[in-house]
Amino acid sequence: MNRFKFFKEGIRNLKTVGTVTRSSRYLCDKVINHSKIHQARVIIELGAGDGVLTKRILKRMPDDCKLIAFEINDMFIDTLEAIDDPRLIIAADSAENIQKYLDDHNLDQVDIVYSALPFSVIPKEVANSIINISKSVLAPEGEYLQIHYSLIAKKLYEKIFGKVEVFFQPINIPPAFILKCVKE
Ligand SMILES: C[S@@+](CC[C@H](N)C(=O)[O-])C[C@H]1O[C@@H](n2cnc3c(N)ncnc32)[C@H](O)[C@@H]1O
């Protein structure tokens, strides 16, 4: 999907997409660089959009790793389904249903959750629930990395995970923060 189509989809569904620009490759790379992707066996991506981060995760994750990518927008799901990689499982469903997909695919604990979910437009209770579910499925030392355009929500992650590390990527529209939490 090109940038203009993403822009149109963002405008049409601003309340669920939360932006009109997809993440830059610099932001995607920075998110991945701050995770232990080379050791991962199970990865979850929340809010995969048109697959900009998905493709980069697939490029860098081990051959025996599985990636479950959650997305609710039909047009983005069509684009994701065109990615030809047997390690990728597309969950055309809300991120609230992570456990169901792990059970269906006989997967146990998750090593990394990458999220670009637009928590600024998602109801607070739903956001809270998704972050708590993510923590519950993570293995000890498992990593949760969230893209945000501000630090307003940082306290929420501190409440759920304890410590939160913050990284900044200016080369993105808009400039973005990465919040990284590790399950103790
Ligand atoms: C900000 S976009 C990120 C897209 C892409 N990952 C990127 O980095 O450019 C957020 C995506 O989350 C999806 N989304 C919103 N609510 C969701 C939910 N409850 N479960 C799964 N995906 C959701 C939207 O449809 C949208 O594609």
Side-chain angles (χ1 to χ4, degrees):
M1 176 178 285
N2 64 33
R3 278 172 203 281
F4 183 60
K5 272 196 178 161
F6 189 104
F7 177 81
K8 279 206 306 191
E9 204 51 23
I11 294 268
R12 274 202 320 137
N13 299 289
L14 203 52
K15 283 202 171 135
T16 51
V17 177
T19 178
V20 292
T21 53
R22 63 179 172 218
S23 298
S24 70
R25 68 189 155 95
Y26 304 98
L27 178 58
C28 294
D29 285 344
K30 194 154 190 165
V31 174
I32 296 172
N33 289 346
H34 283 292
S35 66
K36 292 185 185 148
I37 193 166
H38 54 284
Q39 295 177 4
R41 291 291 167 269
V42 181
I43 297 177
I44 287 193
E45 185 189 1
L46 305 179
D50 69 348
V52 65
L53 177 60
T54 319
K55 289 183 202 155
R56 293 186 106 77
I57 297 169
L58 288 166
K59 212 169 178 178
R60 293 180 56 183
M61 73 186 206
D63 290 346
D64 60 351
C65 182
K66 287 281 179 204
L67 169 61
I68 310 181
F70 285 79
E71 179 51 58
I72 53 168
N73 176 292
D74 288 340
M75 196 174 273
F76 291 153
I77 291 163
D78 286 347
T79 312
L80 291 168
E81 280 172 348
I83 301 174
D84 183 19
D85 191 315
R87 299 170 300 166
L88 174 64
I89 297 162
I90 307 213
D93 202 344
S94 172
E96 292 150 277
N97 299 314
I98 295 174
Q99 189 63 59
K100 174 185 179 302
Y101 287 82
L102 290 174
D103 293 346
D104 286 355
H105 294 276
N106 288 319
L107 296 170
D108 189 11
Q109 289 185 319
V110 176
D111 300 298
I112 308 173
V113 177
Y114 297 109
S115 170
L117 287 175
F119 284 135
S120 53
V121 293
I122 290 177
K124 225 178 180 169
E125 324 76 68
V126 179
N128 233 306
S129 159
I130 292 173
I131 302 165
N132 273 300
I133 292 167
S134 299
K135 185 182 176 193
S136 74
V137 299
L138 276 174
E141 301 301 313
E143 302 171 324
Y144 180 95
L145 294 105
Q146 172 74 46
I147 294 172
H148 266 299
Y149 303 129
S150 83
L151 293 178
I152 292 171
K154 185 169 172 252
K155 277 206 167 67
L156 176 61
Y157 300 93
E158 286 170 340
K159 213 168 100 192
I160 296 174
F161 281 96
K163 196 175 155 216
V164 180
E165 276 183 280
V166 178
F167 307 98
F168 181 60
Q169 177 49 273
I171 314 174
N172 190 70
I173 304 172
F177 296 96
I178 299 158
L179 276 64
K180 177 181 172 182
C181 312
V182 177
K183 182 170 171 176
E184 302 264 302

